[in-house]
Amino acid sequence: MSPRCSLVVNGKPVRVATGDTPLDAALPRNVAAGRDGVIQDAQLPDALPRLRNTSRARPRLGDGAATRPGPAPSPLAVLRTVKRAGTLLSVTPLSGAVVEVVVTVSRDLDVAPGQAVEVAFAGVPARPYCPTQRIDGNTELNELVFHLRRDAGALGPALGGAVQPGHVVRIKGPAGGIPYRPGPGRLILVSAETGFAPIWAIARAARHREIAREMVVVAGAADADDLYMRPGLDWLRATGVQQITLAASRDRRGQADVRHGPVTAHLPTLRGSDTVHVAGPPDIVRAVERLCDSVGATCAALPFLPSRSRARSLVTPGDTGAQFGL
């Protein structure tokens, strides 16, 4: 039996086994026990990403952990949110529509791949985004990198105009999201549009932390001209990832490495032992979730909502409904 200690969250004791993080301990029992679950936090108005664990895996909290559903504190409540001052360093085109935005911060921010931060450029409303890596992977410790579309909400059109390098940025986080963790089974990474940003961060972390784990990557966009992620996919191939698929519904140039159709048409046959991370438009995310449900696979979902929605979206890399044709 693993040694345990006590963690008090919002006045309620939580049992923690040695080796567990506070987030592990605070996971709602219906998620930890392998039942469908949604991680939410009433403090955050954003549409938070969902973790659906339909596998039959046992709880991670050790022998004797409760397996029946019951009230539990939100895992976000135990995360230590910090603030950082930042400066816009660069805006680099990745395609005709997508840019790579790099912000330097006063001190590095401990945000795991798949987690979000709230970003406020001076004069632009704050929004949550998921930090990623530079597309070439050469990211410094004091940098936060984002993939944005030029037509994205209030920020996109301002980049290069009202928002120039040297612009003041405020960062607060973590602000939601589902962090990547090493584990058994295949790691299936699915992205549409600039949903590649959190997927790229997860993929690089996984290749460094568990090089022997089988990885499958499916990345797509409505238009093949927006498949900006090729340099990142080349890096993954160089590290031994063999199962990589690019997909687009429109490919005017007939590119040989691009398959026709949405990413959901090119997923591998899923297994109950798979862990799937999916980021992109809600319809893509819902379709992948349903496929995971049908076989009992674990699905960590990052749905992006249109910026014109009344509820601010957890729009990680891309800030707009236009990018997804919404």
Side-chain angles (χ1 to χ4, degrees), residues 58-125:
R58 294 181 179 179
R60 297 181 57 194
L61 296 180
D63 298 335
T67 58
R68 61 181 180 276
S74 165
L76 298 181
V78 300
L79 295 177
R80 179 174 176 267
T81 299
V82 298
K83 298 179 180 180
R84 293 286 186 268
T87 304
L88 178 60
L89 177 66
S90 63
V91 178
T92 305
L94 298 179
S95 72
V98 180
V99 295
E100 180 179 81
V101 175
V102 180
V103 174
T104 58
V105 290
S106 53
R107 286 180 293 160
D108 63 294
L109 186 62
D110 186 14
V111 178
Q115 286 185 309
V117 296
E118 187 174 86
V119 183
F121 288 80
V124 181

Side-chain angles (χ1 to χ4, degrees), residues 114-139:
Q115 286 185 309
V117 296
E118 187 174 86
V119 183
F121 288 80
V124 181
R127 306 238 12 226
Y129 299 94
C130 279
T132 185
Q133 293 282 316
R134 289 178 184 258
I135 201 66
D136 63 6
N138 295 320
T139 305

Side-chain angles (χ1 to χ4, degrees), residues 133 136-137 199-209 235-236:
Q133 293 282 316
D136 63 6
I199 295 303
W200 175 223
I202 291 168
R204 284 192 63 94
R207 296 311 286 166
H208 287 297
R209 297 183 64 180
W235 183 88
L236 291 174

Side-chain angles (χ1 to χ4, degrees), residues 16-322:
V16 186
T18 299
D20 284 332
T21 67
L23 181 59
D24 289 325
L27 278 173
R29 293 293 183 260
N30 58 340
V31 175
R35 297 180 174 86
D36 289 354
V38 179
I39 297 178
Q40 296 179 337
D41 189 318
Q43 300 299 318
L44 297 177
D46 306 299
L48 292 175
R50 301 186 291 276
L51 173 62
R52 297 174 64 83
N53 185 350
T54 56
S55 68
R56 302 301 187 265
R58 294 181 179 179
R60 297 181 57 194
L61 296 180
D63 298 335
T67 58
R68 61 181 180 276
S74 165
L76 298 181
V78 300
L79 295 177
R80 179 174 176 267
T81 299
V82 298
K83 298 179 180 180
R84 293 286 186 268
T87 304
L88 178 60
L89 177 66
S90 63
V91 178
T92 305
L94 298 179
S95 72
V98 180
V99 295
E100 180 179 81
V101 175
V102 180
V103 174
T104 58
V105 290
S106 53
R107 286 180 293 160
D108 63 294
L109 186 62
D110 186 14
V111 178
Q115 286 185 309
V117 296
E118 187 174 86
V119 183
F121 288 80
V124 181
R127 306 238 12 226
Y129 299 94
C130 279
T132 185
Q133 293 282 316
R134 289 178 184 258
I135 201 66
D136 63 6
N138 295 320
T139 305
E140 300 294 336
L141 288 177
N142 67 332
E143 292 179 346
L144 293 176
V145 181
F146 307 97
H147 297 167
L148 303 173
R149 287 186 62 99
R150 292 187 180 277
D151 55 1
L155 177 58
L159 291 170
V163 177
Q164 298 271 0
H167 201 85
V168 174
V169 185
R170 298 190 308 277
I171 308 289
K172 182 169 66 175
I178 301 172
Y180 148 78
R181 285 196 177 85
R186 292 187 302 178
L187 182 63
I188 313 293
L189 303 179
V190 184
S191 67
E193 308 292 342
T194 49
F196 184 72
I199 295 303
W200 175 223
I202 291 168
R204 284 192 63 94
R207 296 311 286 166
H208 287 297
R209 297 183 64 180
E210 43 182 356
I211 189 67
R213 188 179 187 183
E214 184 179 0
M215 179 185 293
V216 180
V217 180
V218 183
D223 195 311
D225 289 342
D226 290 334
L227 296 174
Y228 68 91
M229 63 286 297
R230 282 186 173 87
L233 300 181
D234 289 343
W235 183 88
L236 291 174
R237 289 189 186 95
T239 66
V241 180
Q242 299 179 352
Q243 301 177 72
I244 296 176
T245 301
L246 273 174
S249 299
R250 297 186 300 274
D251 182 9
R252 292 181 289 271
R253 293 178 289 177
Q255 301 168 77
D257 64 338
V258 178
R259 296 188 183 182
H260 180 74
V263 293
T264 49
H266 301 287
L267 297 180
T269 300
L270 296 179
R271 309 165 186 164
S273 58
D274 290 335
T275 295
V276 181
H277 286 261
V278 54
D283 57 339
I284 295 290
V285 170
R286 285 193 296 267
V288 174
E289 284 184 310
R290 287 193 293 268
L291 291 172
C292 291
D293 287 347
S294 69
V295 299
T298 298
C299 184
L302 280 165
F304 300 170
L305 301 180
S307 59
R308 59 178 176 270
S309 171
R310 287 188 178 182
R312 293 184 311 156
S313 60
L314 182 64
V315 179
T316 37
D319 186 18
T320 175

